[in-house]
Amino acid sequence: MVNKLEVAWTLAVVALLAGVAAYSTVLLYQIDALPSDPTEYVTVIGHQWYWEFCYSNESSVGCFNSTYDATNNTVSGGELWAPPGAVVQINVTGADVIHSFNIPQLGVRIDAIPGRTNQFAFSVPNAAPGTQYLIQCTEFCGEFHGTMRSFLMIT
Ligand SMILES: [Cu+2]
C-alpha cells in the first residue's frame, strides 16, 4: 500500500530538483554569453614559451610577441593593453601545445588549444594607467613554462 506522505515528499523532491536544474541551465548559458559590444577584441596565441597578442583596433594594429625576462620581471615586444574599465573579448588559441591563459588577480582563466579558438570576455578594473596585472600560463607546457608570463597593462 502506498503511503500518501511518501508520494508527497517524493514529488516535492522531484519538483525541487527540476527547479534547480532549470535555473542552473539558464545560468550556465548566461555565464558563457559574450558581450554584444566589447571595447576591444584581442587574439591571444600561446607559444612555447611566450604569448602573442593580435590587435585590430585603431590604436594598436598587428601582432606582438610578448617575451618575458625573469631577471628583471619585465616583458619586451608587447603586452595585453586595455584602457581602464574596458570590456575585453579574448579569442584564445595555441600554436604548438596546450597552454592556459590566466590572469590570477582578475579570475580570468581559459585554455589555449591548438586548432581551436576559445572565446572569453572580462572587465578590466578602473585602475590607473600603467597598472600591470600578471598573466601566467597555467598549463604545464614544457621547459620554460614557469616563465611563460606577460602583463595586462592599463593604458
Ligand atoms: Cu604554456
Side-chain angles (χ1 to χ4, degrees), residues 71-133:
T71 55
N72 50 14
N73 193 34
T74 57
V75 293
S76 56
E79 295 172 307
L80 179 55
W81 296 302
V87 175
V88 177
Q89 182 178 325
I90 50 175
N91 304 312
V92 184
T93 189
D96 33 44
V97 299
I98 298 176
H99 303 274
S100 188
F101 181 83
N102 181 219
I103 310 175
Q105 280 179 287
L106 304 185
V108 174
R109 183 173 178 171
I110 188 157
D111 285 345
I113 301 169
R116 182 193 160 99
T117 301
N118 287 329
Q119 298 178 311
F120 189 79
F122 64 95
S123 297
V124 173
N126 265 313
T131 307
Q132 290 184 317
Y133 296 89

Side-chain angles (χ1 to χ4, degrees), residues 7-141:
V7 171
W9 74 50
T10 302
L11 290 178
V13 169
V14 168
L16 183 75
L17 290 178
V20 169
Y23 183 66
S24 302
T25 304
V26 170
L27 213 58
L28 277 171
Y29 279 101
Q30 284 176 354
I31 286 170
D32 284 342
L34 294 167
S36 56
D37 190 22
T39 317
E40 68 179 23
Y41 294 92
V42 184
T43 299
V44 177
I45 306 163
H47 296 262
Q48 284 176 312
W49 288 272
Y50 60 92
W51 293 104
E52 178 183 0
F53 301 110
C54 294
Y55 299 85
S56 54
N57 51 354
E58 316 82 54
S59 53
S60 35
V61 179
C63 294
F64 301 87
N65 292 339
S66 184
T67 308
Y68 182 73
D69 183 351
T71 55
N72 50 14
N73 193 34
T74 57
V75 293
S76 56
E79 295 172 307
L80 179 55
W81 296 302
V87 175
V88 177
Q89 182 178 325
I90 50 175
N91 304 312
V92 184
T93 189
D96 33 44
V97 299
I98 298 176
H99 303 274
S100 188
F101 181 83
N102 181 219
I103 310 175
Q105 280 179 287
L106 304 185
V108 174
R109 183 173 178 171
I110 188 157
D111 285 345
I113 301 169
R116 182 193 160 99
T117 301
N118 287 329
Q119 298 178 311
F120 189 79
F122 64 95
S123 297
V124 173
N126 265 313
T131 307
Q132 290 184 317
Y133 296 89
L134 177 72
I135 294 168
Q136 167 75 57
C137 180
T138 47
E139 182 73 42
F140 181 67
C141 57

